């Protein structure tokens, strides 16, 4: 193993670096392609790290790059301690960590502990083994119900559609006479681990140490509210017609509505013991290593349980992302977030887009209005205490792409496309980055054709190269905002929130932030306007935010 001794300067304030960081998500398939195969890779990420330094972020989080059959684009891991050849090699990963640290950037990698790929050596051994064997005890195998055991063990549904159980006898690698079923809360190629088996916990501690030894600064943990299921694996009780099991992606918007629903597959109390163990592992390493949980919780209070002092350093706060365009709704998110986190002493996080949801320019209406609202919401978010997570391409103002059915690759689409309720899937937010030029692949790679997901023909004006020369571009706006944000680090870590009609405002020390969610101009706060998301001339226009000092 090639160690990584590169280091970066500690946070100047002496506080942990992640408490007030801007962290940028890189989706490796779609960032930059160094070898011309149409798919992004680790050398492509390394080659464009200067873009992130110039943007002004503090760290990057990279979605999975592990060895994988790519049934769910890397979230189906077959080897947690190797790089998939699609993305490069372990040496490429070491070079990426080293270069990021040289540029003053921390690096966070994705961890997928709820499930593995069905090609993982453990699952392949389980398929070959008999029911009740130690090999099967690492996953959730159960006998079926009904006559001949031909019905699933319970009524749970997959996030990607259909039953959350598959018969071993119907798996391509399974035996025809096998009577058991296995649980997969996501795709059938992603069997869930049984975290009540101590072998699973020991294996993942080894994975953590493997990557910490290579110099990574933290982990984003996928489906952190999963892992444990109620031990009985009982049926889910749900209202007539309600879908069960959904938790991520385009189902995110329904999580709050399901706050009172019965969900024996999610957010079980035992999961917190896992994260206490991981917290101790990270504490053995220098440099304020951290973990952030992707926990789709129904309330701010349940979110706060993941960031108690001996567990995660952070958890994603999806309430900001889920809120509609409303001063009152945004205010409620801010107030409830701080109320929930204050008892555990945790720092909030804020996010508007990621690889699982519709880009926020589109969510806010698209076009000119959607972009204005997206800039205003982003600027408001970046002024809040805590850390902000940005998703690749939002600094270019990219909208959700309407990917043609024949080009879609998301498992949720592939599993449901022939049903009465097909799910479009998440491909639209994953279309590769446009770097330069007037036609595809817009500098994404050295090839001349479309990358793995086709790029729209009209993206020439949205490339990094085109926007770098335009002081009014969205890229220029993000650079100014992130630069100005650094001056806010010493302000109080609490806010006073006020809603006046359609205007949300909050104060942090001598800073006042105002966001106009209405349709008419509003009064500007008293003081000097130091930053604005759009033109301001004596009043605060609709769909605009301002920072005012004094």
């Amino acid at each position: 193993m090639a160690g990584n001794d590169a280091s970066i300067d500690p946070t100047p304030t002496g506080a942990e670096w992640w408490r007030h960081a801007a962290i940028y998500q890189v989706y490796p398939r779609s960032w930059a392609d160094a070898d011309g195969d149409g798919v992004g890779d680790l050398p492509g990420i390394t080659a464009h790290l200067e873009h992130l330094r110039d943007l002004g972020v503090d760290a990057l989080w990279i979605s999975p790059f592990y060895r994988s059959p790519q049934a769910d684009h890397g979230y189906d891991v077959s080897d947690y301690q190797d790089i998939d050849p699609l993305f490069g090699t372990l040496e490429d990963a070491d070079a990426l960590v080293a270069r990021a640290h040289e540029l003053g950037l921390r690096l966070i990698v994705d961890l997928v502990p709820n499930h593995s790929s069905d090609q993982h050596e453990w699952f392949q051994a389980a398929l070959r083994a008999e029911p009740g064997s130690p090999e099967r005890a690492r996953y959730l195998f159960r006998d079926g119900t009904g006559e001949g055991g031909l019905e699933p063990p319970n009524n749970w549904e997959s996030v990607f559609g259909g039953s959350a159980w598959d018969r071993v006898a119907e798996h391509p690698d399974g035996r025809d006479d096998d009577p058991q079923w296995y649980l997969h809360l996501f795709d059938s190629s992603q069997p869930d681990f049984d975290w009540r088996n101590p072998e699973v916990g020991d294996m993942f501690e080894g994975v953590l140490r493997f990557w910490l030894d290579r110099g990574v600064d933290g982990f984003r943990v996928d489906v952190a509210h999963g892992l444990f299921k109620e031990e009985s694996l009982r049926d889910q009780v749900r209202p007539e017609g309600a879908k069960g099991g959904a938790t991520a992606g385009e189902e995110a918007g329904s999580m709050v509505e399901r706050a009172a629903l019965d969900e024996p597959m999610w957010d079980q109390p035992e999961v917190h013991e896992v994260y206490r163990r991981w917290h101790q592992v990270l504490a053995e390493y220098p440099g304020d290593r951290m973990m952030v949980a992707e926990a789709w919780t129904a309330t701010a209070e349940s979110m706060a349980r993941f960031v108690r002092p001996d567990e995660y350093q952070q958890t994603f706060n999806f309430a900001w992302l889920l809120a509609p365009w409303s001063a009152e709704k945004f205010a409620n998110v801010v107030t409830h977030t701080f109320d929930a986190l204050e008892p555990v002493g945790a720092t909030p996080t804020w996010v508007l887009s990621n690889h699982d949801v519709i880009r926020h320019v589109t969510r806010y209406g698209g076009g000119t209005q959607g972009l204005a609202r997206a800039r205003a919401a982003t600027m408001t978010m970046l002024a809040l205490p805590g850390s902000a997570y940005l998703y690749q391409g939002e600094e270019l103002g990219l909208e959700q792409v309407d990917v043609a059915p024949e080009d879609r690759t998301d498992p949720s689409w592939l599993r449901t496309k022939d049903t009465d309720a097909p799910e479009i899937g998440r491909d639209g937010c994953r279309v590769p980055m446009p770097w330069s030029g007037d036609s595809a692949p817009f500098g994404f790679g050295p090839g001349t054709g479309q990358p793995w997901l086709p790029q729209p023909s009209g993206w020439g004006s949205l490339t990094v190269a085109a926007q770098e020369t335009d002081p009014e571009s969205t890229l220029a706006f993000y650079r100014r905002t992130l630069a100005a944000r650094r001056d806010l680090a010493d302000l109080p870590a609490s806010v006073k929130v006020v809603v006046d009609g359609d205007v949300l405002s909050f104060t942090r020390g001598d800073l006042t932030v105002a966001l106009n969610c209405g349709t008419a101009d509003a009064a500007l706060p008293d003081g000097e306007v130091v930053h604005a998301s759009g033109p301001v001339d004596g009043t605060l226009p609709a769909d605009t935010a301002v920072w005012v000092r004094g």
Side-chain angles (χ1 to χ4, degrees):
M1 188 271 287
N4 194 308
D5 298 324
S7 61
I8 53 181
D9 292 336
T11 305
T13 61
E16 296 96 336
W17 66 268
W18 42 265
R19 288 192 180 274
H20 191 73
I23 301 170
Y24 185 103
Q25 180 188 359
V26 169
Y27 193 68
R29 281 179 159 264
S30 300
W31 174 255
D33 169 22
D35 61 11
D37 64 357
V39 179
D41 45 43
L42 297 188
I45 297 174
T46 303
H48 287 278
L49 286 176
E50 287 84 355
H51 172 70
L52 299 183
R53 178 201 59 194
D54 296 343
L55 186 62
V57 299
D58 303 290
L60 64 154
W61 146 40
I62 305 178
S63 294
F65 45 57
Y66 310 107
R67 189 174 289 272
S68 164
Q70 302 295 316
D72 188 22
H73 297 163
Y75 284 94
D76 51 319
V77 180
S78 59
D79 187 342
Y80 290 87
Q81 297 184 18
D82 199 4
I83 305 297
D84 194 272
L86 184 69
F87 300 125
T89 65
L90 281 170
E91 290 73 22
D92 292 329
D94 292 336
L96 171 57
V97 174
R99 181 58 178 153
H101 287 175
E102 288 174 5
L103 294 173
L105 299 167
R106 266 96 175 178
L107 192 141
I108 298 167
V109 299
D110 225 308
L111 189 67
V112 188
N114 180 72
H115 50 264
S116 74
S117 164
D118 62 353
Q119 300 304 304
H120 191 284
E121 63 179 359
W122 275 10
F123 192 72
Q124 287 294 304
L127 291 176
R128 293 190 297 269
E130 297 295 325
S133 64
E135 291 85 359
R136 291 210 171 179
R138 296 163 174 161
Y139 294 89
L140 290 161
F141 286 86
R142 294 294 185 273
D143 292 336
T145 60
E147 184 176 354
L150 297 179
E151 297 296 325
N154 66 28
N155 69 346
W156 296 2
E157 295 182 9
S158 163
V159 173
F160 291 159
S163 174
W165 296 89
D166 265 33
R167 292 182 65 212
V168 175
E170 295 176 357
H171 189 281
D173 299 329
R175 299 198 312 268
D176 291 342
D177 62 344
D178 199 302
Q180 290 202 310
W181 298 64
Y182 67 91
L183 179 70
H184 58 88
L185 289 177
F186 293 85
D187 190 61
S188 59
S189 65
Q190 296 167 293
D192 282 47
F193 287 112
D194 185 350
W195 270 87
R196 288 186 167 79
N197 185 329
E199 284 189 72
V200 177
D202 291 346
M203 186 268 279
F204 273 98
E205 179 175 334
V207 172
L208 290 176
R209 293 186 183 279
F210 179 85
W211 290 105
L212 290 167
D213 289 341
R214 300 192 94 90
V216 304
D217 299 285
F219 300 91
R220 176 267 190 188
V221 180
D222 186 60
V223 195
H225 58 301
L227 281 62
F228 281 86
K229 289 75 178 168
E230 281 196 27
E231 192 166 12
S232 67
L233 298 183
R234 63 174 176 81
D235 276 358
Q236 179 186 24
V237 179
R238 55 182 184 263
E240 184 70 25
K243 180 178 179 178
T247 178
E250 295 177 329
E251 305 299 334
S254 62
M255 283 301 290
V256 173
E257 299 169 8
R258 294 203 310 276
L261 291 185
D262 174 51
E263 292 190 322
M265 68 288 292
W266 306 120
D267 204 9
Q268 300 302 304
E270 298 96 327
V271 76
H272 296 284
E273 289 304 318
V274 174
Y275 302 137
R276 292 185 179 100
R277 178 181 182 180
W278 291 5
H279 185 101
Q280 293 174 352
V281 171
L282 266 65
E284 297 177 19
Y285 289 80
D288 296 325
R289 312 293 175 102
M290 58 84 76
M291 301 184 297
V292 56
E294 185 218 23
W296 287 97
T297 61
T299 66
E301 290 74 22
S302 56
M303 174 190 72
R305 287 196 287 270
F306 286 83
V307 285
R308 288 175 288 197
D310 59 348
E311 296 190 42
Y312 279 91
Q313 283 73 27
Q314 294 184 333
T315 184
F316 287 134
N317 179 15
F318 293 116
W320 184 259
L321 180 155
L322 297 173
W325 184 253
S326 160
E328 182 178 0
K329 298 296 186 183
F330 284 138
N332 288 341
V333 169
V334 174
T335 300
H336 292 162
T337 296
F338 280 102
D339 287 348
L341 294 179
E342 191 276 332
V344 296
T347 305
T349 66
W350 313 98
V351 61
L352 280 165
S353 283
N354 62 38
H355 67 294
D356 281 333
V357 300
I358 295 172
R359 288 186 177 273
H360 59 285
V361 173
T362 302
R363 290 203 315 273
Y364 291 146
T368 302
Q369 182 182 63
L371 181 59
R373 289 179 171 182
R375 289 194 190 191
T378 298
M379 202 178 101
T380 303
M381 175 184 82
L382 289 173
L384 287 164
S387 288
Y389 284 78
L390 310 175
Y391 178 51
Q392 69 176 44
E394 70 172 82
E395 77 277 19
L396 306 179
L398 298 185
E399 294 196 44
Q400 191 82 355
V401 176
D402 184 12
V403 177
E406 62 269 21
D407 294 320
R408 295 173 189 163
T409 64
D410 194 307
S412 60
W413 162 256
L414 298 176
R415 285 175 63 88
T416 63
K417 64 180 180 178
D418 296 323
T419 69
D420 293 336
E423 297 180 14
I424 293 175
R426 300 160 292 177
D427 293 314
C429 64
R430 300 175 174 184
V431 175
M433 281 276 288
W435 291 98
S436 61
D438 297 321
S439 60
F442 294 107
F444 174 69
T448 58
Q450 285 281 11
W452 72 280
L453 282 175
Q455 298 163 310
S457 60
W459 268 11
S461 62
L462 297 177
T463 66
V464 173
Q467 295 199 39
E468 279 185 325
T469 60
D470 180 3
E472 301 304 316
S473 69
T474 302
L475 176 59
F477 164 76
Y478 266 76
R479 287 176 173 175
R480 288 193 301 269
T481 306
L482 287 164
R485 183 179 185 270
R486 294 188 180 276
D487 296 332
L488 310 182
D490 294 329
L491 292 178
S494 59
V495 296
K496 180 179 180 181
V497 181
V498 175
V499 175
D500 183 5
D502 290 318
V503 177
L504 162 71
S505 62
F506 61 84
T507 55
R508 287 182 65 191
D510 68 344
L511 176 75
T512 298
V513 178
L515 168 65
N516 186 354
C517 295
T519 58
D521 289 0
L524 282 170
D526 293 335
E528 178 189 1
V529 175
V530 295
H531 193 36
S533 65
V536 173
D537 185 14
T539 61
L540 178 60
D543 302 330
T544 304
V546 292
W547 295 357
V548 175
R549 302 298 288 259

